[in-house]
Amino acid sequence: MTLIPEERSAIVAYRIEKANDTLKEAKAVGSLGYWSLAANRLYYAAYYASVALLIDRGIEASTHKGAIRMIGFSFVKEGVLIPEDSQLLGRLFSMRQTGDYEDLFDWKEQDVAPLIPKVEDYINRISLLINP
């Protein structure tokens, strides 16, 4: 996708805003005890931030798994992000898949709640990389 700088900036800003809004959603539904939905929202919050960074740097990924791979390859491998970031994205993706598609399964607070500050930190660090 070829974007002029103004378009790229607008999309990146939108994705970061969406990441922060989706994080708020995760916290809200978690406080109501909907932990599978909270896991879903945490994944999407981290995903939106990841895509913002990829777009900011002109890196294309056409799938969710592709975006996760490109974060690992382009940012974790290069030392811009830490290995735990790649692990977090993989775990959140897996949790979303399980929570959304497995029958008779629901995530519990002890599985999801500890990930909230990790996703918040991830989004904040991505935001700093985009807007130093």
Side-chain angles (χ1 to χ4, degrees):
M1 154 176 40
T2 304
L3 299 171
I4 63 172
E6 293 79 16
E7 291 172 326
R8 183 179 311 280
S9 293
I11 292 170
V12 169
Y14 172 77
R15 290 291 182 145
I16 290 296
E17 180 181 350
K18 191 141 176 93
N20 283 306
D21 288 347
T22 306
L23 177 62
K24 289 176 191 170
E25 292 172 2
K27 291 176 181 180
V29 296
S31 72
L32 296 172
Y34 298 108
W35 293 105
S36 289
L37 182 55
N40 171 292
R41 303 322 295 153
L42 283 177
Y43 167 72
Y44 276 102
Y47 173 77
Y48 294 142
S50 299
V51 170
L53 180 59
L54 293 174
I55 292 169
D56 184 65
R57 302 297 168 87
I59 300 169
E60 292 189 32
S62 58
T63 65
H64 285 248
K65 285 185 179 182
I68 293 168
R69 271 191 233 108
M70 291 311 296
I71 288 292
F73 181 76
S74 299
F75 299 99
V76 174
K77 185 177 177 188
E78 298 300 320
V80 175
L81 295 172
I82 57 175
E84 289 80 5
D85 293 330
S86 200
Q87 294 164 3
L88 176 65
L89 290 173
R91 174 142 174 75
L92 290 168
F93 179 78
S94 176
M95 289 176 79
R96 184 199 57 110
Q97 294 290 100
T98 301
D100 286 359
Y101 300 112
E102 292 292 323
D103 292 326
L104 305 174
F105 181 87
D106 287 304
W107 288 107
K108 305 290 183 224
E109 179 177 6
Q110 65 266 21
D111 301 312
V112 181
L115 299 175
I116 293 172
K118 292 179 181 189
V119 172
E120 189 165 28
D121 177 61
Y122 179 74
I123 293 169
N124 289 336
R125 288 184 291 110
I126 295 289
S127 295
L128 290 173
L129 289 171
I130 291 169
N131 301 308

